[in-house]
Amino acid sequence: RHPGGPPSRQPRGGPAPQQKPSDWIDVISVLATRHLMDQFEAQLVLNDQLFEELAKEVHNGRLFRLLAKLGFINERPQFGRDPSWSEIGDRYLLKLFRDHVFHKDDANGKPIIDLGLVVEALNKLDAGVPEKVLLDNRDGQSILVVGYDDLRRVCEESFQALCNP
């Protein structure tokens, strides 16, 4: 340093000033904090991804259980010595619902294959929403308006009747 002049600067590439031990601790602390924050953020992203996958599996499992219940109920050839068990009473509504969801045709008689509509209808049934749905039989002679909440009740009661004869 020159007396009365500006402080001298080290040329680039010159010797680095010596640091005190506490300076090293500060540097390591900053680096460790950055690394920990990066790791924490990565864990949060992974947690979000796993949660999304779990939600999909729960949703799929829920719809599968509902489809299985409908499969056990619909078209049952005989139950309790009654050959028309699945065709009479409230259970007839489930048969009409099945036809509504899986056996729809367009105006030209072509089958409508729309998984989005299937999932939407099954979700409404599973949730038991009060929304009404128009159900008609295959020959179009009978038309019934029923709520998904009523269909859910019928499904649960019918399935329980099978489980506890």
Side-chain angles (χ1 to χ4, degrees):
R1 191 172 184 201
H2 300 319
S8 63
R9 296 189 182 177
Q10 289 286 337
R12 284 195 173 160
Q18 290 186 350
Q19 294 183 334
K20 298 177 189 173
S22 65
D23 291 341
W24 283 103
I25 292 172
D26 291 343
V27 169
I28 291 172
S29 175
V30 168
L31 292 175
T33 301
R34 286 183 189 161
H35 179 72
L36 286 174
M37 292 306 292
D38 290 343
Q39 289 299 311
F40 183 68
E41 183 177 352
Q43 287 300 313
L44 288 176
V45 168
L46 179 62
N47 189 43
D48 289 345
Q49 291 170 342
L50 290 174
F51 187 76
E52 287 176 19
E53 289 301 314
L54 178 62
K56 288 178 194 175
E57 291 303 317
V58 167
H59 179 74
N60 291 339
R62 191 172 46 83
L63 293 183
F64 172 77
R65 282 189 300 279
L66 183 58
L67 281 172
K69 286 179 181 179
L70 289 172
F72 287 126
I73 297 165
N74 283 323
E75 304 297 328
R76 179 161 288 282
Q78 178 175 310
F79 180 67
R81 300 180 193 251
D82 183 357
S84 62
W85 180 83
S86 66
E87 303 284 327
I88 59 173
D90 287 344
R91 290 176 298 277
Y92 183 66
L93 294 173
L94 297 176
K95 179 180 178 180
L96 295 179
F97 176 75
R98 188 247 354 250
D99 289 349
H100 170 75
V101 173
F102 295 105
H103 300 155
K104 274 187 173 182
D105 294 329
D106 65 12
N108 298 323
K110 182 180 174 189
I112 297 173
I113 310 295
D114 187 342
L115 292 178
L117 290 175
V118 171
V119 170
E120 179 182 6
L122 291 175
N123 278 327
K124 288 178 181 180
L125 175 61
D126 188 51
V129 297
E131 179 183 331
K132 303 292 185 198
V133 60
L134 181 71
L135 304 176
D136 58 344
N137 64 356
R138 291 181 182 178
D139 64 8
Q141 297 299 314
S142 299
I143 298 175
L144 299 169
V145 178
V146 64
Y148 285 98
D149 51 350
D150 292 325
L151 287 169
R152 177 187 164 107
R153 179 188 51 77
V154 169
C155 183
E156 290 302 319
E157 289 173 358
S158 300
F159 185 71
Q160 288 305 315
L162 290 174
C163 293
N164 305 311

